[in-house]
Amino acid sequence: MLLAVRDKILFTRRNCDANSEFLWVDILYGKNKSFTFGVINRPPNSSIEPLVDLSASLDDFNDSAEIVLVGDFNLRTSIGILSLFSVNLT
């Protein structure tokens, strides 16, 4: 897994105890402002464990956290895997 950040951008990597392929960094901008950028890779036909780990990791954020999450989730929505997440898109 690679997440490249330009050398002029201030960031800190968050620790993650999960064995799944995802990582988080806090991107600092402006005066005392930040957002969290996450990237995930879930291999095709893998178990749901990476998604369970991701859900647990998301629970560590407060409700007002600004998060951008990208990656390859390899989801098949027909099996109801999205029910693991409760997402508020407002």
Side-chain angles (χ1 to χ4, degrees), residues 63-65 87-90:
D63 291 340
S64 63
V87 177
N88 182 358
L89 298 176
T90 59

Side-chain angles (χ1 to χ4, degrees), residues 10-71:
L10 299 175
F11 74 96
T12 55
R13 183 174 177 176
R14 287 179 170 253
N15 290 330
C16 181
D17 294 333
N19 291 327
S20 298
E21 291 184 56
F22 63 88
L23 60 91
W24 300 105
V25 294
D26 291 322
I27 306 290
L28 309 171
Y29 67 97
K31 292 187 177 187
N32 300 321
K33 293 185 178 183
S34 69
F35 69 93
T36 302
F37 188 90
V39 62
I40 183 172
N41 178 50
R42 179 177 171 260
N45 301 316
S46 65
S47 73
I48 65 167
E49 183 178 351
L51 299 175
V52 172
D53 289 344
L54 176 62
S55 180
S57 182
L58 287 169
D59 286 342
D60 291 338
F61 290 96
N62 64 44
D63 291 340
S64 63
E66 296 181 25
I67 301 171
V68 176
L69 178 62
V70 299

